[in-house]
Amino acid sequence: MLGIRTFDPRTGGNMAYRALTHPLAAEKLTILNRELTEAGPVAIYDPHGMIDTIMPLLPVPLQVMGVYTHDSLKVGQPCRGQALRALADLPAGTAKTVWALDFASGIMENRLAALMPPGGTLHTLASIRLPQDMLSVGHHYLDRLNFGTNFAFFRETEAFSTRLVTANYWARYGARDVRLWLRLFDENGGILHTWEQPVPKGEQALVLDSAEIRQRFGLPAFTGQLFIHAIGIAGHDVVKYALETCGKGANASLSVTHDANAWPANRYANLPAPAPGEDVVLWVQNSHDLTIPAGTMTLNRMGCDEQVALDQTLAPYQTLAVHVRDMLPDLAWPAQVEFRAGGYVVRPRYEVTRAARTRIAHLNVQRADLQPDPGIAELDPRFFGRGYLLPFPVPDPTRYRTLVVPAPMAESLTSLPVRVDSFDRRGQAGATQFMGNLGRDHASMLDAGGLAGRAGHAELVYDFREGGQADGWLHALIRYEDRMSGHVAETSFGAHIFNTAMTYRGEPQSYAGPPPGLSTRLFLTAAVHEPYSFCMLIYPASGPWHAVSDTRLSLHAAHGKVMAEERLAIPLSGSCEIWPHEIFGRAALEIAGEGAYVIIRDTTCRLFGYHGRKSTDGRFSIDHMFGF
């Protein structure tokens, strides 16, 4: 296990981790590591508590002859197998090389000038800094806006193409000169190409097309990952996107998935076991300039501690296809698989092949910090109604099956007491079904379309009639099967409290600003040609709220200008389908250009949406939308 705490839900991301693992910084860290190793025993001064982040990232372990702190209250506390020493005692140490874990060399030189051991040499982290022109906030190196980075699964082969689609949403927060620093890695982790791409216009579309990139730079076919660094940004340090995968020629595959979670985790869930006739491939992509030893990462049936190790060593940034059936041959859908990744990869993708068609979806981070919360079962219904809801679309059940598999998404959770409530498009409540107090290793599945009997949506909620635990991180995998075409798509997401005036532990969440989250801003692509973009927009409410939404749809041209607007009203607990080419017309989308998009905005309530693409031949995809 890498053992780095990369993200904390309360304090946010570990920006030192981001700064140290940027591919440019990681290259320089390898050089610095070699210099320190050759210098012999090292004394480390850790003014900012970075030692537990940086040490696991070193390719070669150092011989450390003392770790020093200037905080008198920390002296004597354990630190990586030894006791912290007082900085004032540094001159008495035996190490001649001092490594100060700070990116500002001048400050460290001044602070330590009188404390260096006789004839000692000082190293800092200044040598691994990114160039100044790659910083969004030049005066504060570890500012979160300096490391707006992410990875994307990226593939261009004879059978598949991928497109990353988003918009310059940083312009809304005052960013004026955004550009992307991009590095494409091949399947073996080798660098295929590094380049920059300007984003000169406010709120313009951003489209990274694997076919165009391959042609522009004369690259071979590839299956790897794209590292994205957004520079000159404001407001958000997260690179959000939709990732489209489309089959070429006679290949009828089509998928659209959400962005990768940019913070590596120790465990992931929502990986389905294969159904009969399916091949489930977990795409493992090393997110570091480090070798992952064989046996470090494992798979196991969810709720079962018997783990099967990946017996292959992964090179830095390498992409590996892991066939779940090879690892767990006796496991079948709807059982679920837990991926213990050890902090080496960002949220991975999985790909399911059935009858020559593939579909791609993503795993979700399994929380290590959450514990069951007895307070959820005691939530006051006057304030929170039905409490935590996981809304999801239910398309016409005469054509589609909507299969729901609840998923534990915290390491501590041992039970899932859940119920499914159904609603039609007008918000009228329909049938409901208690799925039980499910165990962590359950293999239960519900056909929500059969339960509802009509198009609309359903909501997975907690139900404690038979006891059980809740942690507020209720998730499910939802699979959609077209009875006519045989095409399948799936998505997964988690529950929130929606549209209540009172708050509970940060819920209802907001897309921007503090809770309660009572507004909406969602991004939807607007495809000019088939397969057309669509979204299923849901107005979930934990309790009573506005009778109808006041929702505005704004069509943005590829260069960012608003071309047209429409309004719609969704009934409370209702839903609707949105097809940009129908609402705004094909002619308007042609004028808006390739890369046009729709912003869905509502200041009266928080809506929840699922976006995708669909063509007349029955191909379709679906995943939850992102907001900013």
Side-chain angles (χ1 to χ4, degrees):
M1 181 180 294
L2 199 57
I4 300 173
R5 192 172 185 84
T6 60
F7 184 84
D8 185 281
R10 294 171 295 277
T11 60
N14 177 353
M15 298 318 300
Y17 168 82
R18 279 273 182 87
L20 294 164
T21 56
H22 189 289
L24 286 183
E27 292 173 351
K28 298 175 182 178
L29 183 60
T30 298
I31 297 171
L32 177 59
N33 182 204
R34 183 168 59 248
E35 294 173 350
L36 291 169
T37 303
E38 293 172 351
V42 176
I44 295 179
Y45 169 42
D46 187 20
H48 309 295
M50 290 171 53
I51 191 167
D52 286 332
T53 298
I54 197 167
M55 297 302 278
L57 297 173
L58 298 178
V60 180
L62 295 179
Q63 183 180 358
V64 179
M65 299 294 288
V67 182
Y68 293 82
T69 178
H70 59 251
D71 188 338
S72 61
L73 298 180
K74 293 182 179 179
V75 173
Q77 292 183 4
C79 177
R80 303 195 69 83
Q82 54 185 286
L84 280 170
R85 304 181 186 185
L87 181 61
D89 294 334
L90 180 61
T94 58
K96 297 299 183 182
T97 302
V98 177
W99 188 21
L101 305 184
D102 193 294
F103 289 94
S105 59
I107 294 174
M108 291 298 99
E109 289 167 0
N110 291 333
R111 185 178 302 177
L112 301 178
L115 298 172
M116 290 292 293
T121 303
L122 175 65
H123 292 264
T124 67
L125 295 175
S127 63
I128 69 172
R129 287 173 60 110
L130 298 182
Q132 193 68 17
D133 67 353
M134 290 184 69
L135 305 181
S136 299
V137 182
H139 64 277
H140 181 208
Y141 188 71
L142 289 183
D143 191 286
R144 62 186 182 87
L145 294 176
N146 286 336
F147 299 97
T149 61
N150 211 336
F151 283 92
F153 176 77
F154 218 55
R155 176 168 60 180
E156 178 63 32
T157 66
E158 297 306 311
F160 296 100
S161 272
T162 48
R163 280 200 340 155
L164 184 151
V165 183
T166 185
N168 178 13
Y169 47 88
W170 301 286
R172 293 189 57 255
Y173 299 92
R176 297 182 179 180
D177 188 22
V178 176
R179 70 186 197 275
L180 303 181
W181 186 91
L182 302 154
R183 175 164 287 181
L184 179 61
F185 298 96
D186 67 16
E187 190 165 359
N188 297 316
I191 299 172
L192 278 174
H193 201 70
T194 302
W195 74 102
E196 287 195 4
Q197 186 160 319
V199 189
K201 298 177 181 178
E203 298 193 58
Q204 77 172 79
L206 300 176
V207 179
L208 299 173
D209 187 291
S210 62
E212 187 276 331
I213 289 170
R214 180 184 179 187
Q215 182 180 33
R216 190 195 334 169
F217 299 120
L219 304 176
F222 56 83
T223 299
Q225 54 185 331
L226 182 67
F227 179 83
I228 309 154
H229 180 189
I231 302 168
I233 60 176
H236 275 275
D237 65 309
V238 180
V239 178
K240 299 185 176 185
Y241 59 80
L243 187 69
E244 304 172 355
T245 300
C246 190
K248 293 181 178 180
N251 189 324
S253 302
L254 176 66
S255 295
V256 177
T257 64
H258 201 52
D259 62 83
N261 187 314
W263 300 100
N266 289 328
R267 298 192 195 186
Y268 294 91
N270 282 129
L271 175 60
E278 288 185 344
D279 179 28
V280 178
V281 169
L282 170 64
W283 287 105
V284 179
Q285 298 185 298
N286 188 351
S287 303
H288 299 90
D289 193 14
L290 293 170
T291 298
I292 304 178
T296 302
M297 297 183 288
T298 64
L299 296 180
N300 60 273
R301 176 175 181 162
M302 179 62 72
C304 175
D305 286 333
E306 185 177 346
Q307 302 171 47
V308 180
L310 276 66
D311 60 2
Q312 182 170 330
T313 298
L314 266 72
Y317 305 114
Q318 182 180 350
T319 292
L320 177 67
V322 177
H323 296 263
V324 173
R325 194 178 299 280
D326 292 343
M327 302 282 290
L328 300 166
D330 298 325
L331 202 61
W333 166 262
Q336 300 174 71
V337 179
E338 184 176 52
F339 176 35
R340 304 195 189 199
Y344 284 102
V345 303
V346 302
R347 180 168 62 191
R349 314 278 166 169
Y350 67 89
E351 184 169 30
V352 184
T353 301
R354 178 196 291 182
R357 292 190 185 193
T358 71
R359 61 185 185 272
I360 294 180
H362 59 73
L363 281 69
N364 283 314
V365 170
Q366 196 173 162
R367 298 268 296 270
D369 62 303
L370 276 183
Q371 296 295 321
D373 177 8
I376 293 176
E378 305 297 329
L379 287 176
D380 192 328
R382 295 178 304 148
F383 298 156
F384 302 107
R386 290 177 301 131
Y388 287 86
L389 315 174
L390 170 50
F392 56 91
V394 176
D396 180 2
T398 63
R399 176 158 182 176
Y400 298 95
R401 297 180 73 204
T402 301
L403 306 176
V404 184
V405 180
M409 206 55 62
E411 296 178 15
S412 62
L413 199 66
T414 59
S415 64
L416 285 163
V418 291
R419 182 184 78 241
V420 174
D421 298 336
S422 66
F423 299 85
D424 66 15
R425 295 277 173 83
R426 298 169 299 169
Q428 297 298 309
T432 183
Q433 183 166 327
F434 177 59
M435 292 190 68
N437 183 15
L438 307 177
R440 185 176 179 86
D441 62 348
H442 81 89
S444 299
M445 178 174 64
L446 174 69
D447 185 343
L451 173 69
R454 52 187 170 176
H457 84 280
E459 296 170 359
L460 186 70
V461 301
Y462 288 118
D463 189 317
F464 299 99
R465 69 181 71 179
E466 294 181 359
Q469 301 172 318
D471 57 14
W473 199 234
L474 176 64
H475 277 65
L477 188 152
I478 304 103
R479 178 171 291 182
Y480 297 91
E481 298 181 348
D482 188 333
R483 303 177 192 271
M484 292 178 59
S485 70
H487 200 88
V488 181
E490 57 200 58
T491 182
S492 58
F493 200 67
H496 294 287
I497 295 175
F498 283 92
N499 298 308
T500 60
M502 301 297 289
T503 62
Y504 179 77
R505 299 189 184 278
E507 293 282 351
Q509 289 185 13
S510 175
Y511 290 103
L518 304 176
S519 66
T520 302
R521 181 180 284 107
L522 295 169
F523 173 89
L524 173 64
T525 58
V528 178
H529 306 290
E530 284 198 76
Y532 291 115
S533 303
F534 74 96
C535 85
M536 300 288 292
L537 197 59
I538 302 169
Y539 179 5
S542 296
W545 199 245
H546 302 297
V548 294
S549 73
D550 181 13
T551 308
R552 184 175 73 248
L553 311 179
S554 301
L555 173 64
H556 290 246
H559 54 67
K561 181 181 178 181
V562 176
M563 305 293 291
E565 291 189 341
E566 294 288 342
R567 287 187 178 272
L568 58 88
I570 305 173
L572 182 75
S573 293
S575 59
C576 71
E577 286 189 17
I578 295 174
W579 296 84
H581 73 284
E582 294 181 354
I583 291 176
F584 297 104
R586 291 183 177 86
L589 265 61
E590 290 279 2
I591 296 171
E594 189 68 29
Y597 63 93
V598 175
I599 294 296
I600 301 170
R601 184 79 172 111
D602 198 307
T603 59
T604 66
C605 60
R606 183 181 180 187
L607 307 174
F608 198 75
Y610 291 79
H611 69 124
R613 304 284 290 270
K614 188 176 182 181
S615 59
T616 52
D617 63 5
R619 294 186 299 159
F620 71 100
S621 65
I622 194 164
D623 199 6
H624 58 93
M625 302 175 76
F626 64 85
F628 39 74

